[in-house]
C-alpha cells in the first residue's frame, strides 16, 4: 500500500529498497527557500542496522501490510515494554530498541496496534495524538495568550515538548505523535 512520505509515523513498517524497515523517527523539515523534505531514521528488520534517509514530501512510501492486532500498553520494565490483547488477555513483550521513539508516547492503558510480520511482533502503530501530563515546566504567565512564544515542558513519559506560556505543571496536553508537537490542552 503506497502512502505519501508525509504520513509516515514512528513505529510503522515500510519497504525501502525491497527490504523491510521500521520507522524510528520522523522529522518534517523546511529549510529556507528549499523544498520541504522528510528526514526519517530507519532500522533494517533483517540486519538491525540503523540509518537516516531523506524523502521528498511527495515520495510514495510502500507501507508493508502486516497483521495488526489492537492492544493496550500495560507497563515497561527497563527496556521491555508489555502489551495486552484485550480480547484474549494474551501479552506481548517488545524491546525498546524495536519501538524507537514510540516509547516517548506510551502511557498505561493506551490503545495501540501491534504489527506482526511472519508471526513476530515487529513494531507498533500509534494513534495520531496522545494525551500526556506535564510534569515539569517554568511557571505559567496569567496574562499570557497564545502566541509564537513557547517554553519547554517535560511530560510524564520523558518527552520534552515546546508549549505556549500558559501551560502549567500538572495539566494534560495533546501531543502529535508524528512530529512530537503540542496541539492543544486535553
Amino acid at each position: 500500500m503506497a502512502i505519501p512520505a508525509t504520513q509516515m509515523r514512528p513505529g510503522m513498517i515500510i519497504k525501502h529498497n525491497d527490504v523491510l524497515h521500521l520507522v524510528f523517527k520522523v522529522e518534517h523539515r523546511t529549510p529556507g527557500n528549499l523544498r520541504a523534505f522528510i528526514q526519517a531514521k530507519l532500522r533494517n528488520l533483517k540486519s538491525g542496522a540503523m540509518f537516516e534517509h531523506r524523502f521528498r514530501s511527495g515520495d510514495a512510501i510502500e507501507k508493508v501490510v502486516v497483521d495488526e492486532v489492537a492492544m493496550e500498553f500495560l507497563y515497561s520494565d527497563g527496556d521491555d515494554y508489555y502489551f495486552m490483547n484485550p480480547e484474549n488477555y494474551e501479552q506481548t513483550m517488545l524491546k525498546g530498541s524495536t519501538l524507537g521513539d514510540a516509547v516517548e508516547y506510551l502511557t498505561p492503558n493506551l490503545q495501540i496496534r501491534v504489527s506482526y510480520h511472519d508471526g513476530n511482533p515487529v513494531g507498533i502503530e500509534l494513534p495520531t495524538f496522545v494525551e500526556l501530563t506535564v510534569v515539569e515546566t517554568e511557571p505559567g504567565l496569567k496574562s499570557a495568550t497564545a502566541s509564537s512564544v513557547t517554553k519547554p515542558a517535560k511530560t510524564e513519559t520523558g518527552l520534552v515538548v515546546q508549549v505556549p506560556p500558559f501551560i502549567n505543571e500538572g495539566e494534560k496536553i495533546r501531543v502529535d505523535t508524528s512530529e512530537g508537537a503540542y496541539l492543544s490542552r486535553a
Side-chain angles (χ1 to χ4, degrees):
M1 175 171 86
I3 60 168
T6 54
Q7 291 182 4
M8 213 174 355
R9 302 272 183 272
M12 262 185 194
I13 309 292
I14 64 168
K15 194 172 202 176
H16 178 64
N17 295 336
D18 293 328
V19 180
L20 294 182
H21 291 83
L22 175 70
V23 178
F24 248 52
K25 189 175 189 174
V26 179
E27 287 182 47
H28 188 89
R29 295 194 177 165
T30 52
N33 59 356
L34 302 175
R35 292 189 177 217
F37 63 89
I38 310 299
Q39 182 83 24
K41 191 172 189 178
L42 305 174
R43 182 171 153 257
N44 186 318
L45 288 178
K46 283 188 180 171
S47 68
M50 299 271 293
F51 67 97
E52 291 198 358
H53 186 76
R54 284 186 182 181
F55 297 96
R56 292 191 310 259
S57 296
D59 283 353
I61 306 299
E62 189 176 342
K63 182 179 175 188
V64 175
V65 179
V66 290
D67 297 328
E68 289 187 346
V69 179
M71 291 207 172
E72 185 176 306
F73 174 65
L74 294 176
Y75 64 95
S76 64
D77 183 20
D79 194 39
D80 299 338
Y81 293 83
Y82 293 88
F83 301 90
M84 178 187 69
N85 185 334
E87 291 176 14
N88 59 11
Y89 304 107
E90 187 177 300
Q91 289 189 15
T92 300
M93 187 272 297
L94 289 170
K95 291 281 189 192
S97 58
T98 302
L99 298 173
D101 283 355
V103 298
E104 295 178 331
Y105 303 104
L106 294 176
T107 57
N109 304 326
L110 178 69
Q111 302 295 320
I112 52 107
R113 300 187 73 72
V114 175
S115 303
Y116 287 86
H117 186 66
D118 292 336
N120 298 320
V122 291
I124 65 170
E125 190 165 321
L126 293 166
T128 51
F129 68 87
V130 292
E131 293 183 1
L132 300 173
T133 305
V134 176
V135 294
E136 188 180 311
T137 188
E138 297 168 10
L141 304 171
K142 287 200 185 279
S143 62
T145 58
S147 66
S148 61
V149 177
T150 60
K151 63 181 181 179
K154 187 175 183 181
T155 63
E156 60 191 306
T157 60
L159 178 69
V160 177
V161 180
Q162 293 295 320
V163 298
F166 57 81
I167 299 293
N168 295 312
E169 288 181 14
E171 289 191 53
K172 282 194 165 285
I173 59 171
R174 280 194 175 101
V175 178
D176 181 2
T177 56
S178 64
E179 296 181 13
Y182 166 85
L183 292 174
S184 67
R185 280 183 169 150

